Amino acid sequence: MTDITGQSLIAGEWITPAGKEYTSINPYTKEVFNAFKSCGVEEIEKAVSAAAYAYQQMRKMDGETIGTFLEAVADEIEALGDILLETGDTETGLGLARMTGERGRTTGQIRAFAAIAKKGEWVEAAIDTAIPDRAPLPKPDLRRMMTGIGPVAVFGASNFPFAFGVLGGDTASALAAGNPVIVKGHSAHPATSELFAKAIDAAIQKTGFPKGAFSLLQGANRELGTELVKHPVIQAVGFTGSEGGGRALMDIAAARPQPIPVYAEMGSINPVFLGPNTIKSTGDGIAAGLAGSVCMGTGQFCTSPGLAIMLEDANFEAKMVEALDAAPRGYLLNPRIQGSLQDAFKRFESIEGCEWLNKADFEEGSMTPPNAVFKTTGDVFLKEPELAEEAFGPVNLMVVCKDEVQMLEVGNSLKGQLTGSIHADEDPELAKAVLAILEQKVGRIIFNGYPTGVEVCPSQQHGGPYPSSSVSWATSVGADAIRRFARFVSYQATPDAFLPSALKNDNPLNIFRKVNGEMSQAKIG
Ligand code: NAP
């Protein structure tokens, strides 16, 4: 990691902050890197004033300019080469194959938002022309479109250092909507964050984009994040991380003199419902698939299936144990995740009526946890709310219910989730009832599959009712992620010369717009 300076990037200037020193840790070797220092309020002030200035330039930009800039950002990420993959792996233990795939997803997302910005239809331009002789009152000319909201603060998660990191989906979608972004770098992978900042810095220089459009404030102090969210220039927050962190920032944002939205994507236990007849006939394959999903990425996915809701089935139980024991142990991301997983194991084990079926060694401080399956009853689950908390790691809790009615009761007891899965081809009545519950509880419903693996496309919904997300309609993945960082403005009786391009009579952007209720690309008048 010879190219890493430990600096932060503020509006085109690389600086060494004076704050607390901190380290990132190689999960494979526990080797530490001491080169990082935390930013504080002084750096926040510089970044937000540059962002406020940049916003005045960005809000007047056309989508072509923003799209070209985002394409340059994706190119510069690729130009970093293997050092990015190696650094990401060294700071997370996720492996080079995963890092390679995640880089592709990250540049793919950025290019998708570049295309969205260039196409221009995301602004949802709508024009209702005047009816001067309408009785009893004339109708005015009204035109509405979406526009950026101003500087956005972004917090990424430790388990997706690229795709939900410095230049992940939140940053890409906020920039695409014409907003400057200030990223609070994750303290667990600062070297990776620095490389991404180098890529966007190079893209800014090459395209002449406003320097204040991006800043990376590195730091390992909670004050940095809280002061950033409190700053009056910040107009929205994109957060991916724990429920505790997301909730803390939501409360801070709500308590500001001007409350602002926090789009927080948080943890989830992603229930999987297993119909009794279905697992009798196809349970072996389902157990193999479920165990694979539980172990993927050492269980460190927000979509990891933490809960299997079923009736007693000794064969399925044995197959799950077999598959989880056969899977190799993976690495945990960092000591904090390690500590909280160890706490989760202790929590499960301390609850009477909750049994660790394949109990194995998990020594204090060990970065390679066992792939674990716990078992409890529906009765115990319903009276022990701690069993419904996320255990971030390769862990599944089987909730064995006394009947199908109790399976539904367990489903109804759950808080909001990112996903819910149903394996019940041979239990159609149960499937129907579970579906009705999941439609009210989750963002994505999966039939005969597993929740890990989030397709990036317009019909994806990655976000669900609280606490899986802070805003249940919002998605942090897919084209609609841009809507989180935009708002509508209506122009009434506004002279054509003053209107933004998307709303002008001659349709200079040649985009589809809703004109008097019909989609149209035509010139008006
Ligand atoms: P985290 O500990 O919440 O950290 C995320 C970021 O928020 C970090 O920059 C952290 O700062 C900051 N932060 C956390 N608490 C804060 C507070 N009270 N005040 C100010 N800043 C705060 O999350 P993580 O451990 O990195 O990520 C794992 C979690 O993310 C899991 O729960 C997982 O399910 C969830 N996740 C969700 C999604 C999704 O799309 N829903 C995707 C990936 C991960 P520091 O760096 O200083 O700690």
Side-chain angles (χ1 to χ4, degrees):
M1 299 219 282
T2 48
D3 290 345
I4 303 301
T5 65
Q7 293 182 305
S8 286
L9 174 66
I10 302 183
E13 195 189 338
W14 287 94
I15 56 113
T16 303
K20 184 179 115 185
E21 197 168 272
Y22 64 105
T23 59
S24 68
I25 294 165
N26 179 335
Y28 300 119
T29 61
K30 296 200 182 164
E31 185 191 353
V32 298
F33 309 100
N34 290 306
F36 307 98
K37 291 236 174 130
S38 294
C39 289
V41 286
E42 196 183 315
E43 288 79 18
I44 292 176
E45 213 43 69
K46 280 187 193 156
V48 294
S49 62
Y53 182 74
Y55 175 55
Q56 295 309 320
Q57 299 164 280
M58 289 174 75
R59 62 185 220 86
K60 298 282 175 208
M61 272 179 194
D62 56 34
E64 190 65 29
T65 308
I66 292 177
T68 302
F69 165 63
L70 287 173
E71 285 164 356
V73 173
D75 293 345
E76 293 298 332
I77 292 172
E78 282 162 359
L80 289 168
D82 289 349
I83 181 86
L84 178 66
L85 307 179
E86 287 155 12
T87 307
D89 181 32
T90 305
E91 288 194 314
T92 64
L94 289 171
L96 286 174
R98 157 76 188 274
M99 294 289 75
T100 307
E102 202 177 318
R103 178 180 60 184
R105 174 171 168 183
T106 306
T107 52
Q109 285 173 173
I110 295 171
R111 291 196 173 102
F113 282 113
I116 287 166
K118 283 187 168 185
K119 199 169 177 203
E121 283 172 15
W122 74 271
V123 302
E124 296 181 33
I127 297 171
D128 292 300
T129 50
I131 308 176
D133 54 358
R134 189 183 67 173
L137 289 171
K139 180 182 175 189
D141 182 285
L142 262 173
R143 302 175 184 223
R144 189 180 86 149
M145 64 176 278
M146 277 195 157
T147 178
I149 48 170
V152 173
V154 169
F155 296 73
S158 60
N159 64 326
F160 267 102
F162 295 3
F164 288 92
V166 169
L167 299 183
D170 284 352
T171 299
S173 54
L175 287 169
N179 305 299
V181 170
I182 299 171
V183 177
K184 186 280 183 192
H186 201 293
S187 58
H189 52 252
T192 307
S193 299
E194 183 179 320
L195 289 174
F196 278 109
K198 285 195 162 110
I200 191 167
D201 187 29
I204 286 172
Q205 288 180 35
K206 283 188 183 161
T207 58
F209 211 72
K211 291 190 169 138
F214 177 85
S215 290
L216 167 66
L217 304 178
Q218 298 271 37
N221 53 339
R222 291 285 152 94
E223 197 195 350
L224 173 62
T226 57
E227 290 306 314
L228 181 60
V229 172
K230 278 184 194 167
H231 199 287
V233 164
I234 298 298
Q235 293 302 301
V237 178
F239 171 92
T240 313
S242 62
E243 186 183 329
R247 181 61 198 239
L249 297 180
M250 283 166 67
D251 290 346
I252 290 163
R256 289 172 30 136
Q258 176 214 3
I260 53 169
V262 175
Y263 296 101
E265 291 299 334
M266 300 174 279
S268 187
I269 54 171
N270 306 294
V272 178
F273 287 83
L274 302 168
N277 298 317
T278 310
I279 51 170
K280 241 174 220 95
S281 63
T282 53
D284 292 8
I286 296 172
L290 181 58
S293 186
V294 168
C295 297
M296 194 180 283
T298 320
Q300 299 166 115
F301 282 114
C302 52
T303 51
S304 190
L307 212 58
I309 301 162
M310 53 189 282
L311 303 188
E312 187 74 55
D313 190 307
N315 175 59
F316 186 81
E317 194 179 297
K319 290 290 172 193
M320 272 296 278
V321 168
E322 196 181 297
L324 287 168
D325 285 351
R329 290 188 183 204
Y331 281 88
L332 292 171
L333 290 156
N334 57 60
R336 199 164 73 201
I337 297 280
Q338 199 281 340
S340 69
L341 182 61
Q342 215 142 29
D343 288 348
F345 275 85
K346 287 179 194 153
R347 190 173 75 224
F348 280 10
E349 282 203 285
S350 72
I351 291 173
E352 204 179 321
C354 180
E355 185 193 354
W356 184 354
L357 292 178
N358 58 348
K359 195 163 165 58
D361 289 341
F362 187 24
E363 284 142 28
E364 207 68 37
S366 164
M367 298 302 279
T368 52
N371 303 311
V373 57
F374 287 81
K375 181 182 174 184
T376 192
T377 62
D379 287 339
V380 172
F381 185 84
L382 288 167
K383 73 171 201 311
E384 297 285 356
E386 284 198 325
L387 289 173
E389 297 303 319
E390 183 187 44
F392 196 60
V395 180
N396 183 264
L397 173 64
M398 281 180 178
V399 182
V400 175
C401 299
K402 55 185 178 222
D403 52 28
E404 292 183 12
V405 173
Q406 193 175 50
M407 285 177 74
L408 302 180
E409 240 180 283
V410 167
N412 273 320
S413 76
L414 297 174
K415 295 188 274 189
Q417 303 289 331
L418 289 172
T419 76
S421 305
I422 306 173
H423 291 259
D425 280 356
E426 290 172 47
D427 305 86
E429 285 309 311
L430 179 67
K432 210 155 80 182
V434 170
L435 177 63
I437 292 170
L438 292 183
E439 282 170 341
Q440 299 168 69
K441 294 266 178 194
V442 315
R444 176 166 57 107
I445 296 162
I446 301 149
F447 272 90
N448 297 325
Y450 308 96
T452 43
V454 178
E455 188 65 39
V456 181
C457 63
S459 50
Q460 182 59 265
Q461 175 59 27
H462 190 66
Y466 185 85
S468 66
S469 305
S470 55
V471 180
S472 63
W473 65 258
T475 177
S476 66
V477 174
D480 278 344
I482 198 170
R483 297 171 66 95
R484 301 171 302 162
F485 304 118
R487 67 186 180 88
F488 281 110
V489 178
S490 264
Y491 297 81
Q492 183 168 331
T494 306
D496 202 63
F498 294 167
L499 285 169
S501 300
L503 300 178
K504 283 185 186 298
N505 283 338
D506 66 359
N507 196 5
L509 301 177
N510 199 30
I511 55 171
F512 275 99
R513 315 179 291 183
K514 204 178 248 181
V515 179
N516 296 324
E518 302 290 334
M519 291 308 283
S520 166
Q521 229 174 339
K523 181 176 167 169
I524 296 161

